[in-house]
Amino acid sequence: MNVTRFLSRNWLVSYAVVYMVLLYLPALLLPLFAFNSSTIIAFPLKGFTLEWFGVLIETKALHKAVQNSLIIALITSAISTLLGILGARAIVRFRFPLKRGIVGLIMVPLILPEIIVGVSLLVLLMQIGISLSIWTVIAGHVLICLPFSVAILSSAFQGLDPSLEEASMDLGETRFGTFRRVIFPLILPGIISSMLITFTISLDEFIIAFFLTGTDVTLPVYIWGQMRFPAKLPSIMALGTILLLLSIFLLVLGELFRRRSARRQGKSTSPTGGLV
Amino acid sequence: MSENAIIEIEDVSKSFGSVTALSGVDAIIREGEFFSLLGPSGCGKTTLLRLIAGFDEPTGGTVSIAGEPMAGKPANMRPTNMVFQSYAIFPHLSVGENVGYGLKKKKMSRQEIADEVTRALAMVDLAGYGDRAAHELSGGQRQRVALARALVMKPKVVLLDEPLSALDKKLREQMQIELRQLQKQIGITFILVTHDQEEALIMSDRIAVLFEGEIAQLDTPEALYRRPVNKRVASFIGVMNFMPATVTASSDTAMSVNIPSLGQVDLRADQLPEGLNPAAVDTIGVRPEMLTILFDESETAEREAPGEVTSASYCGDMTYYSVLLAQADEPVTISMRNTTGRSILTPGTQVRVGWGHESVVLFD
Ligand SMILES: Nc1ncnc2c1ncn2[C@@H]1O[C@H](COP(=O)(O)OP(=O)(O)OP(=O)(O)O)[C@@H](O)[C@H]1O
Ligand SMILES: [Mg+2]
């Protein structure tokens, strides 16, 4: 059967195919040019090279940026997930005054333009006289990551039968022991999801980092700085390729873990069940 | 503390905001008995059980266990263990780990815990299931694990919140008997919450019937069935035929009752429910099996009344007849065992209905 005829008849399928191509093709261009031996990012490709990866290894400033980004992402995901656990638990389990308003405030950064968050945080920090460092970036990132942590962990807590906690208390366990032996193991998939997602968000966040970073630039800010030099572009492509593979690896790892623990609990293993 | 009371509930009330779940509940539960809390949905059964378990504190009154007031004592400090309606099996633990969960808090060696778990599993017929994952169990098996997990703690009282309601009919009936036998065998006090009157009658030593947060009657199954204190209890437990009636004369030992549909009858004074004024009586009740259809001339009864069959429903071993008595507005239900020689009567048949004064219950 003729391909165009097939596609025009199955317009939904064609729409999906076009959508997927537009979504993922740009990402596939990264590795293509990363191994291209020309300094110009354009077709036709010239030849195969590993030179650009070699450049990465030699660039000290890049290493520093990577290190900063990793530290920021790690601490951000830890703080955001910890706060997320506390917030989600309160939201799911307790009733308290102004609950809706408070939950709304936690979620606001989700829809607030990042540039506004970035600028206002910068102004605030200037006013109280805190100098910019990786900690100011962490503060900004926690702010925008927290809604994700709270959302993921709320669904984890919601899936928890409240009588499990009561059963544990009834069997003589303390509140803390109940958390350690029952609640924590059961929300662990949610905790890992939250850490992975907030890690990823923090790692590639640009706008807030751009405003709040001091001399210790993060990776996205560093990359943005390098974009002004056309000669650096191929090595940026190489860097992008590495980041792409790393992200895929992290997400697959997270999903595998989530499925394993869901299977162990006899729950369904729907592909997005653990994420948001 | 009275002789062998294990739990004393004194004037207990519980409100959730503006909702009053329990008010003025008094009850004494005796050591080693199988006690049921029976009542329709929303009457406060679970609330009362949770107050005993220590998950909630009463708004007023006291709960004492083994002579000790429980106020301020959380669930993990009370000598009670609960079998939850949802079973609350820890999904991330194996069957054995579930059963041994509470033992880890006691000063016991690994080996002792393992032995106790094995013994508890054997007690509920789950020997050899220790390594199974919790989600590999059927509903009935989950219920048994929940029971073993409670029993292994050797509590003074086991609390069960509708433990059988999730099981299918066959399994439920089997478990009712097993649970009762197990309780007798180990001699621990069981408090069962149920909305199924048949289940309560079969399993319990005593039953507290709750309506809207108050105990309507606390009695043995037999007394509840034979001598319900009011119309509501009477129709909640089994089927009761109500007929208008008035007490025409009463003395300390006897009374004369006029029942238009059945006739005049003399009753003993102790057939009057406690606290009921003879003058207030306006209704009597008779159970369907206490009325008989007299099939032929040779059959007789203490008393007789004429009537007409209006419908018959055949149920295999029994037939349920609706019979309109001569002086009545509404038909009564009569259950007859289908023994040999009894045919199913067709609507319109004129019959003689036999009854006796013993089976008459008075209500206001
Ligand atoms: N935590 C709570 N907050 C508010 N109201 C409650 C709470 N728990 C129970 N109630 C109310 O108290 C009343 C008694 O509830 P309870 O759960 O004890 O009923 P029940 O007899 O166990 O009913 P069922 O057979 O449906 O389980 C109900 O009106 C219920 O709505
Ligand atoms: Mg209930």
Side-chain angles (χ1 to χ4, degrees):
Chain A
M1 196 206 257
N2 179 318
V3 175
T4 33
R5 247 177 63 198
F6 173 83
L7 288 180
S8 62
R9 281 201 194 156
N10 299 276
W11 61 271
L12 201 58
V13 175
S14 358
Y15 167 75
V17 168
V18 170
Y19 183 90
M20 297 298 258
V21 167
L22 288 180
L23 197 62
Y24 290 110
L25 196 62
L28 290 179
L29 290 178
L30 279 178
L32 212 55
F33 287 110
F35 294 104
N36 185 16
S37 54
S38 165
T39 47
I40 303 153
I41 307 298
F43 288 104
L45 302 176
K46 248 174 90 187
F48 180 83
T49 180
L50 288 175
E51 187 191 341
W52 314 123
F53 289 90
V55 172
L56 294 182
I57 295 172
E58 283 155 19
T59 319
K60 284 280 176 319
L62 169 67
H63 297 177
K64 185 73 182 122
V66 168
Q67 190 191 339
N68 287 339
S69 267
L70 287 179
I71 291 174
I72 290 170
L74 266 178
I75 298 179
T76 297
S77 77
I79 295 179
S80 162
T81 301
L82 189 69
L83 292 177
I85 292 174
L86 302 176
R89 162 90 179 169
I91 290 169
V92 174
R93 196 46 63 72
F94 302 111
R95 270 186 286 173
F96 47 88
L98 298 179
K99 180 168 163 175
R100 280 165 161 272
I102 291 169
V103 173
L105 279 181
I106 293 175
M107 293 297 170
V108 158
L110 215 49
I111 49 165
L112 217 56
E114 283 189 16
I115 189 139
I116 292 180
V117 177
V119 170
S120 46
L121 275 176
L122 183 62
V123 171
L124 182 76
L125 291 170
M126 289 298 136
Q127 289 297 319
I128 38 181
I130 293 174
S131 54
L132 300 179
S133 66
I134 62 170
W135 292 103
T136 52
V137 181
I138 289 172
H141 281 184
V142 167
L143 191 70
I144 57 158
C145 285
L146 195 55
F148 291 92
S149 289
V150 168
I152 294 167
L153 288 158
S154 288
S155 88
F157 275 111
Q158 242 139 26
L160 206 62
D161 178 359
S163 59
L164 290 178
E165 262 173 70
E166 291 185 338
S168 167
M169 295 286 290
D170 190 54
L171 291 165
E173 193 49 273
T174 57
R175 281 197 176 279
F176 178 73
T178 297
F179 181 82
R180 190 175 57 82
R181 292 177 69 190
V182 177
I183 303 175
F184 181 75
L186 290 176
I187 60 162
L188 191 58
I191 292 178
I192 289 176
S193 274
S194 161
M195 291 192 74
L196 274 172
I197 284 188
T198 52
F199 183 89
T200 317
I201 292 173
S202 168
L203 198 64
D204 72 359
E205 199 286 330
F206 172 68
I207 300 175
I208 290 175
F210 181 71
F211 278 98
L212 300 183
T213 198
T215 45
D216 297 321
V217 294
T218 67
L219 190 55
V221 176
Y222 172 82
I223 292 176
W224 187 80
Q226 298 302 299
M227 298 289 265
R228 281 173 297 169
F229 314 113
K232 298 280 178 71
L233 273 182
S235 59
I236 297 290
M237 292 289 168
L239 185 58
T241 304
I242 295 174
L243 288 177
L244 186 68
L245 292 177
L246 188 71
S247 311
I248 293 174
F249 173 74
L250 283 179
L251 285 175
V252 169
L253 192 72
E255 180 60 16
L256 282 181
F257 182 87
R258 194 192 65 76
R259 285 195 191 183
R260 213 190 60 184
S261 73
R263 217 177 11 251
R264 221 175 41 203
Q265 292 176 27
K267 292 195 185 134
S268 79
T269 51
S270 72
T272 52
L275 308 175
V276 191
Chain B
M1 157 180 178
S2 66
E3 195 44 49
N4 55 357
I6 185 80
I7 294 185
E8 286 160 293
I9 297 160
E10 280 171 69
D11 196 23
V12 161
S13 57
K14 175 73 185 173
S15 308
F16 298 99
S18 60
V19 181
T20 304
L22 292 174
S23 58
V25 172
D26 280 299
I28 286 177
I29 294 155
R30 299 177 192 144
E31 195 156 3
E33 82 176 329
F34 199 119
F35 190 93
S36 291
L37 295 168
L38 173 65
S41 184
C43 69
K45 308 179 293 285
T46 299
T47 304
L48 185 54
L49 203 69
R50 292 172 57 84
L51 293 182
I52 298 172
F55 297 131
D56 286 314
E57 285 287 330
T59 317
T62 55
V63 174
S64 309
I65 303 179
E68 197 186 335
M70 286 289 128
K73 270 205 173 188
N76 52 1
M77 312 279 284
R78 298 192 182 193
T80 57
N81 282 107
M82 180 112 152
V83 175
F84 290 82
Q85 184 163 11
S86 60
Y87 306 143
I89 306 290
F90 303 123
H92 57 302
L93 301 179
S94 71
V95 168
E97 287 167 330
N98 261 283
V99 175
Y101 186 90
L103 295 179
K104 279 205 175 166
K105 290 298 284 183
K106 300 191 170 182
K107 290 196 180 65
M108 292 173 81
S109 72
R110 222 170 250 273
Q111 190 54 46
E112 282 171 317
I113 292 180
D115 291 346
E116 286 291 323
V117 168
T118 309
R119 198 168 323 143
L121 283 175
M123 209 188 301
V124 295
D125 268 344
L126 282 180
Y129 278 70
D131 292 330
R132 293 272 184 107
H135 63 84
E136 291 169 339
L137 301 177
S138 70
Q141 289 169 335
R142 297 168 74 79
Q143 194 268 330
R144 288 161 196 262
V145 173
L147 185 62
R149 190 175 67 180
L151 292 177
V152 82
M153 301 297 287
K154 302 201 165 58
K156 291 204 166 76
V157 181
V158 178
L159 309 169
L160 306 106
D161 190 357
E162 312 224 12
L164 307 179
S165 62
L167 309 180
D168 63 62
K169 192 165 183 289
K170 263 247 158 63
L171 188 56
R172 188 163 67 229
E173 284 167 1
Q174 179 196 336
M175 286 305 299
Q176 286 169 357
I177 299 181
E178 282 185 24
L179 207 55
R180 175 77 235 227
Q181 275 172 351
L182 185 65
Q183 188 270 338
K184 273 192 178 154
Q185 185 189 321
I186 57 181
I188 296 179
T189 311
F190 274 39
I191 303 180
L192 173 84
V193 159
T194 179
H195 61 261
D196 180 344
Q197 46 103 8
E198 214 172 304
E199 182 169 294
L201 292 179
I202 291 172
M203 299 173 77
S204 326
D205 291 311
R206 291 192 309 147
I207 300 171
V209 180
L210 274 139
F211 290 127
E212 280 138 24
E214 291 178 39
I215 294 187
Q217 189 170 0
L218 196 167
D219 244 319
T220 61
E222 198 185 344
L224 270 180
Y225 188 80
R226 287 176 178 250
R227 297 271 158 245
V229 294
N230 60 36
K231 282 191 251 185
R232 194 149 181 215
V233 174
S235 40
F236 189 69
I237 296 178
V239 178
M240 182 68 96
N241 292 305
F242 295 107
M243 296 167 226
T246 47
V247 176
T248 51
S250 70
S251 71
D252 285 350
T253 53
M255 60 207 143
S256 228
V257 183
N258 178 32
I259 310 163
S261 51
L262 291 175
Q264 186 78 23
V265 67
D266 289 334
L267 300 182
R268 292 191 319 278
D270 64 7
Q271 281 181 264
L272 190 70
E274 218 171 301
L276 185 59
N277 180 353
V281 171
D282 60 8
T283 308
I284 62 114
V286 184
R287 296 283 184 195
E289 69 279 8
M290 296 295 178
L291 297 172
T292 1
I293 291 175
L294 303 171
F295 273 77
D296 59 59
E297 294 302 321
S298 64
E299 285 188 64
T300 54
E302 182 195 316
R303 282 150 200 283
E304 286 178 24
E308 182 189 319
V309 174
T310 58
S311 71
S313 39
Y314 175 76
C315 293
D317 58 337
M318 306 285 279
T319 304
Y320 294 88
Y321 291 102
S322 276
V323 174
L324 189 62
L325 293 165
Q327 303 296 319
D329 301 329
E330 284 177 38
V332 291
T333 302
I334 301 177
S335 60
M336 295 297 292
R337 189 155 287 285
N338 294 328
T339 49
T340 40
R342 277 186 189 164
S343 53
I344 312 298
L345 301 174
T346 50
T349 314
Q350 297 295 326
V351 291
R352 293 179 298 131
V353 174
W355 61 286
H357 76 278
E358 272 294 338
S359 57
V360 173
V361 191
L362 299 169
F363 300 110
D364 60 353

